[in-house]
Amino acid sequence: MMITIIDYGSGNLRSAAKAFERAALAVDYAGEVIVTSDPEVAAKADRIVLPGVGAYKDCRQGLDAVSGMYDAIEEAVQKRGIPFFGICVGMQLMATRGVEHGITEGFNWIEGDVVKLEPADKTLKIPHMGWNELEISSDHILLDGINPGAHVYFVHSYHMQPTSADNVLATVDYAGPVTAIVGRDNMIGTQFHPEKSQEAGLRLIGNFLNWKP
């Protein structure tokens, strides 16, 4: 059993790996946590985690620059049903496209666009940075034990707007709804950083490790 955290030059990989290792101990998950830039290793994974920090376009280009990595992820997740967890821009890449610094095609796993945050209250700062309270809109099994109002940690200026509300598991309010968690089939993504979100983040990771979609 192996969890692979994809290294393509974007994301706080050490922090993410430590959070997944800690959650694995908490739920008695026997799998090994591996950070890798090797598509052959990713192809053999039982679970795949895609972090991401920075601009959407840069992250997509960084992933595409790792020869064979996108194809390995696509094969594992879309064809073999391996559980997938996208974090921050890693979650945004699941969308159809992003509009930051021009139009950039995403994976189109969850139909919708990644657009600039434009809160109704213009005094609110962009990027949206810090703690916010989850508004849970689904009884998805991955949210087991996570209560409405749980605090999670964000750092972002863009957010996903899925075409179907059925794919939105939770939002937060930032002078308007902001997508916080998306999910479909064997895939989940969080706009917030679960590795920085303390109890709620570790609970979500633990649920993912035990998930059998």
Side-chain angles (χ1 to χ4, degrees):
M1 298 172 68
M2 180 174 61
I3 310 155
T4 59
I5 299 176
I6 306 301
D7 179 4
Y8 61 106
S10 179
N12 189 342
L13 302 178
R14 178 176 173 78
S15 177
K18 290 184 71 173
F20 274 80
E21 288 167 355
R22 182 178 173 188
L25 286 174
V27 299
D28 295 323
Y29 181 80
E32 184 178 6
V33 178
I34 295 177
V35 176
T36 186
S37 58
D38 186 340
E40 292 186 6
V41 174
K44 298 174 184 176
D46 300 289
R47 294 169 196 276
I48 293 175
V49 180
L50 185 68
V53 172
Y56 186 103
K57 183 176 183 178
D58 291 343
C59 287
R60 181 67 209 242
Q61 289 177 341
L63 182 63
D64 289 343
V66 182
S67 180
M69 183 60 83
Y70 173 72
D71 290 339
I73 295 173
E74 172 81 13
E75 167 75 22
V77 176
Q78 292 296 298
K79 295 184 180 178
R80 294 194 288 114
I82 296 300
F84 174 89
F85 195 143
I87 297 173
C88 196
V89 183
M91 170 263 225
Q92 293 180 0
L93 288 172
M94 298 164 69
T96 305
R97 64 179 189 168
V99 301
E100 188 175 6
H101 306 313
I103 302 298
T104 302
E105 296 301 314
F107 301 168
N108 200 30
W109 292 354
I110 293 182
E111 187 177 348
D113 289 345
V114 175
V115 300
K116 188 175 182 179
L117 272 175
E118 295 183 315
D121 182 350
K122 301 306 179 184
T123 66
L124 292 178
K125 293 181 179 180
I126 302 296
H128 171 211
M129 181 181 298
W131 298 90
N132 210 325
E133 298 179 1
L134 284 178
E135 298 179 3
I136 295 173
S137 53
S138 169
D139 60 355
H140 197 289
I141 191 170
L142 288 181
L143 301 180
D144 182 53
I146 300 174
N147 296 321
H151 286 77
V152 291
Y153 189 82
F154 291 83
V155 183
H156 66 122
S157 300
Y158 286 73
H159 73 123
M160 188 193 293
Q161 290 186 332
T163 302
S164 173
D166 291 343
N167 294 326
V168 179
L169 308 186
T171 60
V172 294
D173 179 30
Y174 199 63
V178 175
T179 301
I181 307 176
V182 297
R184 182 175 71 83
D185 303 330
N186 55 310
M187 302 170 286
I188 186 172
T190 62
Q191 181 61 67
F192 59 88
H193 289 268
E195 74 278 13
K196 297 181 179 180
S197 297
Q198 299 181 356
E199 183 179 350
L202 288 174
R203 182 61 184 250
L204 181 60
I205 293 171
N207 289 345
F208 172 75
L209 296 179
N210 282 329
W211 189 28
K212 295 182 175 68

